[in-house]
Amino acid sequence: MARSRTGRPSAFAQYRALLMKDIHQELRTREMFTSMVVYALLVLTIYGAALAQVGDSLQVVSFAGGLLWALIVFTSLLGLNRSFSHETESGCLEGILLAPVDRAVIFLAKATSNLLFLAAVEVIVLPLFFLFFLSGADLAATTPMIALPLVVGTAGVAGVGTLLSTMTIDTRGRDVLLAILFIPVIFPLLYACVSATTTAFMGVEGTFGAFWTSCALATAYDVIMTAAAWGLYEFVVDA
Amino acid sequence: MEAGVRSSSAYAVEAHGLIKQFGSRRGLDGVDLAVPAGAFLSIFGPNGAGKTTLLRMLALLSRPTRGSLSILGVDALDDPDALRSRIGLISHKSMLYGDLTARENLEFFSSLYGEPNRARIDELLRLVELDHRRNDCVRTYSRGMQQRLSIARALVNDPDLVLLDEPYSGLDPHAAELFDELIGRVRDGRTFIMVSHDLRKGYDMCTHALILARGKVVVCAEKAQIDAAAFRDLYLATVGMGVA
């Protein structure tokens, strides 16, 4: 057999290969996407049942931010658990670790694919959330600004979630363990995003400083936690 | 060094005093090893003897707690990245994505080592006799076919050192025979190190044999210097020792 060994590819080429593999696999199976969308729809149904009896006196807008983020966090937990199932079922992660790939590149590719899948789910679920719970509500003109906490929050959830789901892949009861680790760790991000989203929904004059403060806190959280995850990933996957 | 042997060093692997500590337990306890380039070393031992721990260390998936390790003439602890592209691993797990086709799997793993070489991927698929199933998802393959494809996966980077971790696990006798035949075809001057519970197969294939027990080397010798019956008795006695 002809001998063949080419030079080591760039980190970007490896990142692209890892990301495209995840996208390709998901496009073929739609396993993660379908389960996340179905789960999100079920959560919306439960919200609907829970809020069906409360009457008109309740201002849904005042807690819609919390509802929305609870939906995103629970849906992302399901996706994060599934995102590594392909990697572990036949030892594929080991196959990747055998190659001369910087472990931080593996993290970045997995976090990007998680971010893309979660964002795709949000694109479907968000209009339904508005349709079911906010169509008759008195929304402020600042409502479109929820896009900012959504982007920052989703990026943080994907980054931290990728690290934590890698840490739990070889553990027993990893689904529960991921939730136990994930929710306390992302609590500051969740709090900031709920605050910013609620402020944007309500649009009360004079409180808008809180929106920017919350977004700044969420961004700082993303930067710090993603940098920490980037740095720690080698220890996590090589442990 | 033999002609055609793929290593600049006389030894493909040289290890001194390798220790791997897992909490209070020692997975490896001072392993010394010298595997000549181009050799086929079979590693035997009871469950928990440290075989897989040693193989994972040689695959650079795990670092020793103490000791020195040189692979293909390069210090594996100082510069593992320089070595990764020269090592292949075939395990009882296929390390293949079930939802990707054979060709997609090979292209993906190949792209982690360099620009995917389509001609080489085609050649590998022909070598493992799966070119007719190249566009089928791997999850539709039998266990034997997956294991053959995992040989192709392990060779995408054209490694000089090939590690085999219980490769016969789950293979029926016919698939195991095909697997042996393929391994014979891809020897090509490469060094092979295989962990196996199958004494007969492992012994038949090797040029060197090693028995590990409780993290220590019980015996390591060239096959020509080994009395087969005595080796078998020693192996059975060692297996009776149980785990560390």
Side-chain angles (χ1 to χ4, degrees), chain A residues 72-201:
Chain A
I72 292 170
V73 166
F74 286 128
T75 306
S76 67
L77 264 175
L78 186 80
L80 290 166
N81 265 320
R82 285 192 158 269
S83 73
F84 275 97
S85 60
H86 293 295
E87 307 296 347
T88 51
E89 67 186 41
S90 303
C92 294
L93 184 60
E94 276 192 359
I96 294 171
L97 295 176
L98 283 169
V101 186
D102 190 323
R103 281 35 181 159
V105 171
I106 301 172
F107 164 75
L108 199 61
K110 200 46 128 179
T112 309
S113 65
N114 283 335
L115 173 65
L116 290 175
F117 300 147
L118 189 54
V121 172
E122 286 174 9
V123 165
I124 290 175
V125 170
L126 208 59
L128 294 174
F129 182 82
F130 272 83
L131 182 71
F132 293 154
F133 304 109
L134 297 170
S135 52
D138 189 16
L139 286 170
T142 51
T143 297
M145 292 181 76
I146 65 160
L148 184 57
L150 276 176
V151 169
V152 176
T154 307
V157 163
V160 174
T162 301
L163 176 73
L164 296 179
S165 58
T166 311
M167 286 167 70
T168 55
I169 46 176
D170 283 331
T171 59
R172 273 198 297 176
R174 65 179 180 196
D175 299 6
V176 178
L177 190 61
L178 178 61
I180 289 169
L181 290 172
F182 182 64
I183 292 174
V185 172
I186 63 145
F187 187 78
L189 176 72
L190 186 61
Y191 192 87
C193 289
V194 170
S195 165
T197 308
T198 305
T199 312
F201 277 148

